Amino acid sequence: MKRALITGIAGQDGSYLAELLLANGYEVHGIVRREALEDPHHRLLNIQHILRDIKIHVGAIDNHLSIYKIISLVRPSECYHLASSSFVSYSFEDESSLLANNFTATHALLAGIKELAPECRVYFAGSSEMFGDARISPQNESTSFNPRSVYGISKLAAFHLARNYREHHKLFVAAGILYNHESSRRGYQFVTRKISSTVAKIHLGLENRLELGNIDAQRDWGYAPDYVVAMHAMLQQEKPEDFVIATGVLHSVRDFLIEAFSVVGLDYEPYTYVNPDHFRPGEVVPLCGDANKARNVLHWRPTKTFGQIVREMVEFDIARLEKK
Ligand code: G4F
């Protein structure tokens, strides 16, 4: 039986991946922070329904000793490193914990796998933010990196570390360069969930305004459950490689607003307020991915359209609030 270890198992991607691996007969282990067990109702919400089928380990992912103990206990055959601080902050409030969560933790994991389970295949979650102020669009695996946020810099540093362990220590480490991927398990701080949850509240008469930053910003938005299929496929290949995972289609935040409000039969304009304080530094070339390599090698395809993703998120949030 294959044994998988997932860091960040309680997050959006971790929870979908755990479901996928269970369905494929894996023994699934996940790492969560101690605080998660103190507030399981909220922090383990995404995995409540599979808690009895998986094994949870408490650990601090940026602490080498803590990670080593878990790796030596689990002895995984596949490890998916998804845990990170994933909100792209342009403020300089807490760079050190961002670097610890995104870079030091990757080092702890790779070093632990090298020492204790060198046959284990590792997936590293890279991000389109590593391209940052990209000079060309769409971007693929050969495009130069030009990160602009500390988040993008931390992910790029960890990505280079992952490549280094692949090339110099001969570990099987594959990296996904994932573009934005959304679902009803997306955190509320991200723009798509902020919109879907607020539209649901407006529909139910619980809210009457939605404050956003730049609604002309564009993103390549895909469906999170599709993206974990690609992660798994990367570890089933003969050799470890890097893959861009994206839809190749750009939409603006305004497009998302129009679609989301149309689900409840409303026009977005009377409810939406643009606050320039939330604007981020200029995004000159939009981040849009060219996933041709994933299509050809992994036979990976997105399964849902933008409109279907938006509808699913809004309908989920309405049902969730109605239940409350
Ligand atoms: O939803 P966002 O915060 O996602 P962002 O920054 O693109 O990052 C996400 O995707 C990356 C690529 O996969 C990941 F690396 C990262 O971890 C994360 O998952 O913002 C999307 C866009 C931005 O252009 C932002 O300026 O929406 C714009 N936006 C406009 N108003 C807003 C808002 N973003 C947020 N979060 N909140 C707003 O009110």
Side-chain angles (χ1 to χ4, degrees), residues 13-261:
D13 294 1
S15 61
Y16 286 123
L17 179 64
E19 287 171 7
L20 177 80
L21 297 178
L22 285 172
N24 280 283
Y26 280 68
E27 181 180 307
V28 177
H29 296 249
I31 304 179
V32 300
R33 294 171 202 266
R34 183 162 302 285
E35 304 89 73
L37 296 187
E38 286 158 14
D39 184 16
H41 192 67
H42 285 111
R43 296 191 188 221
L44 300 183
L45 186 65
N46 292 333
I47 51 172
Q48 288 286 355
H49 60 297
I50 51 170
L51 273 179
R52 262 187 268 164
D53 307 315
I54 60 180
K55 293 189 173 62
I56 291 294
H57 303 268
V58 172
I61 56 162
D62 56 343
N63 177 314
H64 287 65
L65 185 59
S66 170
I67 290 295
Y68 275 40
K69 278 185 184 163
I70 296 170
I71 293 170
S72 76
L73 191 71
V74 176
R75 301 271 167 188
S77 47
E78 291 178 14
C79 179
Y80 295 85
H81 180 39
L82 311 184
S84 74
S85 296
S86 60
F87 191 58
V88 182
S89 171
Y90 288 88
S91 70
F92 291 86
E93 282 160 21
D94 197 8
E95 291 177 352
S96 52
S97 66
L98 189 92
L99 292 168
N101 288 337
N102 295 1
F103 182 73
T104 309
T106 304
H107 181 254
L109 188 94
L110 291 170
I113 295 287
K114 173 177 160 279
E115 293 302 321
L116 303 162
E119 300 305 315
C120 175
R121 296 181 167 209
V122 181
Y123 169 80
F124 168 72
S127 161
S128 58
E129 282 293 313
M130 301 187 316
F131 292 124
D133 191 4
R135 298 294 147 88
I136 55 164
S137 185
Q139 301 83 36
N140 65 22
E141 295 79 5
S142 311
T143 304
S144 308
F145 297 114
N146 192 17
R148 292 163 311 144
S149 58
V150 174
Y151 169 82
I153 293 165
S154 69
K155 278 286 180 185
L156 183 57
F159 174 80
H160 283 306
L161 195 66
R163 275 188 166 172
N164 182 268
Y165 269 71
R166 176 166 78 208
E167 286 162 13
H168 296 287
H169 300 301
K170 306 296 173 209
L171 285 194
F172 189 114
V173 188
I177 304 175
L178 270 53
Y179 283 63
N180 299 52
H181 43 289
E182 316 298 311
S183 76
S184 53
R185 296 185 193 168
R186 191 56 149 148
Y188 292 93
Q189 72 272 40
F190 297 99
V191 75
T192 56
R193 192 72 194 280
K194 184 172 174 182
I195 295 173
S196 69
S197 61
T198 310
V199 167
K201 284 185 190 159
I202 290 171
H203 172 65
L204 297 172
L206 304 169
E207 182 64 85
N208 58 16
R209 65 181 268 136
L210 170 56
E211 187 175 305
L212 293 169
N214 181 7
I215 63 171
D216 292 314
Q218 294 179 307
R219 283 291 183 272
D220 177 334
W221 277 298
Y223 186 51
D226 289 343
Y227 287 47
V228 304
V229 171
M231 296 174 190
H232 178 246
M234 283 180 219
L235 296 198
Q236 313 314 310
Q237 302 306 303
E238 258 177 43
K239 53 183 174 106
E241 290 186 62
D242 306 325
F243 292 91
V244 162
I245 305 297
T247 68
V249 183
L250 274 177
H251 288 281
S252 64
V253 175
R254 189 191 299 275
D255 294 336
F256 198 102
L257 278 169
I258 293 169
E259 286 280 347
F261 274 92

